Each structure stands twice: as C-alpha cells, then as structure tokens.
Amino acid sequence: MSEVKTEPVAATFAESEAAFFDENMRTRVPGALLVISQDERPTGDGSEYWYYSCPCGCGAAGAVRVKAGEKPAQSPSWHWNGSKETPTLMPSVHHIGHWHGWLTDGVWRSC
C-alpha cells in the first residue's frame, strides 16, 4: 500500500471519546486528537499519550507519546509545543505504510 497525500487538515482536540467520532459515532473525525488519561495509560514522566485520527479520513487511529517542551526519553515519542489551540509535534508522524506528515501550528500536512 502506498502512502496517501492529503490537503492540509485542521487538528482538533476532542473533549471526549464521543467527540473523536462523527455525529453518527461511525467514523473518526480526520485529524482529531484525544488525550489518553494518565489513569488509563500512566507514563510516570509528565508525558502523555494522544490518540490521533489519520488526517486522510480513512478512519484509522494511532497513538503518540508527547511532552510539552521536550521529547520524552522513551521512544517513539514527540516533542510538543504545549499548545492545544495550535499544536506542533516534532518529529513528523508516520502512520507506517499509509500516511506521513507533520502537525504544525494546528494543521496536519503530508510530506
């Protein structure tokens, strides 16, 4: 399967698991982010896990480990700028074999 390219997609933080899906609860919202609670998946280092919905709209989801202001030592992990309004992650996010791109200033962009 080759990686898909997409137009830029706005990233939105879902306030709940229900908001991570469309109004019919059938499909994940493209580019949506959902913070996983520390109770569900504790990290012990101040980092947190986020679910993300693939920006291409296929409905696939992945998880990234992020920390505001620095990249967590445990890999794979991402440096987060600390903003939930205009999040930026470094390095790029690679949904292997499907989509690869950057989350910069609140917008998902294909490589």
Side-chain angles (χ1 to χ4, degrees):
M1 174 188 237
S2 64
E3 292 180 359
V4 297
K5 302 286 185 189
T6 61
E7 294 296 318
V9 175
T12 56
F13 274 92
E15 297 296 321
S16 66
E17 190 171 346
F20 195 56
F21 291 85
D22 68 8
E23 63 277 356
N24 299 317
M25 293 295 290
R26 293 188 188 137
T27 307
R28 291 181 184 94
V29 175
L33 299 162
L34 179 66
V35 177
I36 302 169
S37 75
Q38 286 290 319
D39 293 335
E40 184 180 342
R41 195 163 180 183
T43 62
D45 66 357
S47 65
E48 56 190 24
Y49 283 95
W50 295 351
Y51 286 126
Y52 68 90
S53 178
C54 187
C56 84
C58 69
V64 292
R65 184 176 185 160
V66 304
K67 190 169 185 181
E70 64 183 273
K71 186 177 183 300
Q74 184 178 358
S75 289
S77 61
W78 287 260
H79 174 278
W80 168 42
N81 68 344
S83 172
K84 288 198 175 174
E85 289 76 35
T86 56
T88 295
L89 297 179
M90 294 185 328
S92 62
V93 176
H94 191 188
H95 201 91
I96 296 175
H98 184 67
W99 188 89
H100 186 203
W102 297 89
L103 176 57
T104 307
D105 297 327
V107 178
W108 293 99
R109 299 179 194 283
S110 294
C111 286

